Amino acid sequence: MSQSLATKYRPQTFEEVCSQKSTIKILKKQTSLRNFTNCYLFAGSTGCGKTTLARILANEINDYKGAPIEIDGASNNGVDAVRDIIDAARERSVDSEYKIFIVDECHMITTAGWNAFLKCIEEPPLYTIFMFCTTNPEKVPETIGNRCQRYNITKVATEEIKQRLIFICENECAERNQSITEECLDYISRISDGCVRQAINYLEKVFAYCVGEADITIDDVLNCLGNFSYKAFFDLTNSFIDGDEGKLINIIENFYNSGVDLKLFVEQYLDFVLDLTKYCIFKNAEGLKIPSSMIESLNYTTNIENNINYFNHLLDKILNIKNAIKYDVNNRTTVEIMSINICRGV
């Protein structure tokens, strides 16, 4: 089984980590001065580099000798498991200066487990370091949190994610005899919601979808990731604006007859209309999920009087449709009726 891209390209040094500049600056200063704390807490969204930073810090502390002990807090969350960790923490490392424990998903540890941990965290063995990683820091007891040096790991900027994908593709495309456009990488970066790992997983899925194809296009990416055609979204929006009920019904019927889940369709269309609204407000396409090649269509569709008010109105109407079909068995009828009412200005 081949190694996943997320694992293959996991950063090995602080310099390779995306974003987190202030955190990295502090951690590098600590390692250069050999001035560590015994307990760290890395908190932030999934896939943004918490465990990666903990691993790099552990390796820097021990001059890349030995390896940190990684523990899954979700499956080692009870009192007995915590006591085993405490017993192991009392013993010196045989292959490195410090014995370092990285406890991932630590918010899953039970109250009894944290109570057992408290004394060891408060007075840890001299050459033992604990690094806790969590996506839910609010679930970590305050008595534990205030005994740790906490670092908030933020979501990564879209441009930084894109540059990471470009770096990966410079290596992978040569091996796979494929090419992928910058527009594809830009789109993947935009829809990954600041999560580097998610972006890399999307890229890997696209590579798998396009095996045997020399050139990967934005249409390949959209089809692979289950996103609907932006051309269809623009056509649908223009139908609303023009009050063209016939064209509107044809678009909905084509989606329905092709087996599309109308609930998912409405959800993604709601995101699309939100992007149109943002474009009208900010007058630029930065931060939008709409591919950069669609700027001409974007300008055409939003070139209407009182565009901000109109798309705010459309947002409300599409949100109403989303709520109406949440538990609707025959959602096609509801979507069509409510869409026609939008056309008629009802």
Side-chain angles (χ1 to χ4, degrees), residues 170-307:
E170 286 174 351
N171 296 285
E172 291 297 316
C173 287
E175 293 181 13
R176 300 166 187 262
N177 293 318
Q178 288 180 308
S179 66
I180 184 168
T181 65
E182 186 173 333
E183 181 186 13
C184 295
L185 302 183
D186 182 66
Y187 178 74
I188 292 172
S189 303
R190 289 171 187 262
I191 66 171
S192 61
D193 193 29
C195 175
V196 182
R197 185 172 61 211
Q198 182 66 73
I200 296 174
N201 287 341
Y202 281 151
L203 178 63
E204 187 166 26
K205 186 176 180 181
V206 169
F207 279 137
Y209 179 80
C210 296
V211 168
E213 297 181 21
D215 301 314
I216 301 174
T217 66
I218 187 64
D219 287 335
D220 293 324
V221 173
L222 292 173
N223 291 332
C224 169
L225 300 182
N227 293 326
F228 297 103
S229 164
Y230 279 92
K231 181 182 182 304
F233 280 164
F234 278 114
D235 288 342
L236 182 62
T237 306
N238 291 328
S239 298
F240 282 132
I241 294 172
D242 298 335
D244 191 337
E245 298 175 15
K247 185 176 181 181
L248 175 79
I249 296 302
N250 283 335
I251 292 172
I252 296 173
E253 285 185 350
N254 288 338
F255 275 116
Y256 181 81
N257 292 334
S258 65
V260 163
D261 181 348
L262 286 182
K263 291 181 181 179
L264 180 60
F265 168 76
V266 170
E267 285 180 7
Q268 291 198 12
Y269 183 64
L270 183 65
D271 282 342
F272 174 79
V273 177
L274 179 59
D275 272 352
L276 295 182
T277 308
K278 289 178 180 178
Y279 186 70
C280 294
I281 294 171
F282 298 109
K283 306 294 191 259
N284 66 67
E286 289 184 18
L288 305 188
K289 296 177 181 177
I290 298 172
S292 54
S293 61
M294 309 289 296
I295 293 298
E296 185 176 340
S297 297
L298 188 57
N299 287 327
Y300 175 79
T301 299
T302 57
N303 186 27
I304 59 175
E305 292 183 4
N306 300 317
N307 53 12

Side-chain angles (χ1 to χ4, degrees), residues 23-236:
T23 296
I24 291 173
K25 182 178 180 179
I26 296 170
L27 297 180
K28 289 177 74 173
K29 181 67 71 174
Q30 288 186 1
T31 55
S32 65
L33 297 176
R34 307 301 293 172
N35 181 25
F36 318 118
T37 185
N38 286 97
C39 294
Y40 293 86
L41 176 63
F42 295 96
S45 301
T46 182
C48 294
K50 300 180 299 298
T51 307
T52 294
L53 273 174
R55 288 176 177 174
I56 294 172
L57 177 60
N59 288 327
E60 289 284 343
I61 289 173
N62 280 326
D63 294 322
Y64 290 83
K65 296 176 183 176
I69 301 167
E70 296 195 30
I71 298 167
D72 175 21
S75 54
N76 295 278
N77 58 359
V79 174
D80 292 338
V82 170
R83 286 174 178 164
D84 289 340
I85 296 171
I86 294 170
D87 289 340
R90 293 193 180 105
E91 301 172 355
R92 286 288 302 273
S93 174
V94 296
D95 55 4
S96 58
E97 183 177 1
Y98 289 89
K99 194 167 199 176
I100 301 177
F101 294 85
I102 298 176
V103 185
D104 210 359
E105 302 300 331
C106 69
H107 59 272
M108 299 294 289
I109 296 175
T110 63
T111 301
W114 280 123
N115 288 337
F117 236 140
L118 185 58
K119 186 66 175 177
C120 183
I121 292 174
E122 192 170 27
E123 298 177 6
L126 184 60
Y127 288 94
T128 297
I129 296 175
F130 291 103
M131 298 181 184
F132 298 104
C133 303
T134 178
T135 53
N136 297 99
E138 67 278 359
K139 292 184 179 180
V140 177
E142 188 176 348
T143 52
I144 300 295
N146 60 24
R147 287 169 170 80
C148 298
Q149 192 172 96
R150 174 172 169 169
Y151 294 93
N152 293 320
I153 308 305
T154 61
K155 290 188 176 183
V156 181
T158 299
E159 184 59 30
E160 291 196 54
I161 296 177
K162 178 181 173 182
Q163 292 305 315
R164 189 63 180 171
L165 296 183
I166 290 174
F167 168 75
I168 292 172
C169 288
E170 286 174 351
N171 296 285
E172 291 297 316
C173 287
E175 293 181 13
R176 300 166 187 262
N177 293 318
Q178 288 180 308
S179 66
I180 184 168
T181 65
E182 186 173 333
E183 181 186 13
C184 295
L185 302 183
D186 182 66
Y187 178 74
I188 292 172
S189 303
R190 289 171 187 262
I191 66 171
S192 61
D193 193 29
C195 175
V196 182
R197 185 172 61 211
Q198 182 66 73
I200 296 174
N201 287 341
Y202 281 151
L203 178 63
E204 187 166 26
K205 186 176 180 181
V206 169
F207 279 137
Y209 179 80
C210 296
V211 168
E213 297 181 21
D215 301 314
I216 301 174
T217 66
I218 187 64
D219 287 335
D220 293 324
V221 173
L222 292 173
N223 291 332
C224 169
L225 300 182
N227 293 326
F228 297 103
S229 164
Y230 279 92
K231 181 182 182 304
F233 280 164
F234 278 114
D235 288 342
L236 182 62

Side-chain angles (χ1 to χ4, degrees), residues 302-346:
T302 57
N303 186 27
I304 59 175
E305 292 183 4
N306 300 317
N307 53 12
I308 296 176
N309 290 336
Y310 179 80
F311 289 115
N312 277 331
H313 166 76
L314 187 58
L315 266 179
D316 290 338
K317 293 297 184 180
I318 303 302
L319 184 59
N320 289 340
I321 295 177
K322 177 184 175 180
N323 293 330
I325 65 174
K326 188 178 295 184
Y327 306 108
D328 192 352
V329 176
N330 189 13
N331 51 36
R332 174 186 176 181
T333 301
T334 304
V335 170
E336 288 183 343
I337 292 173
M338 296 183 75
S339 296
I340 290 173
N341 284 338
I342 295 173
C343 266
R344 294 176 177 175
V346 178

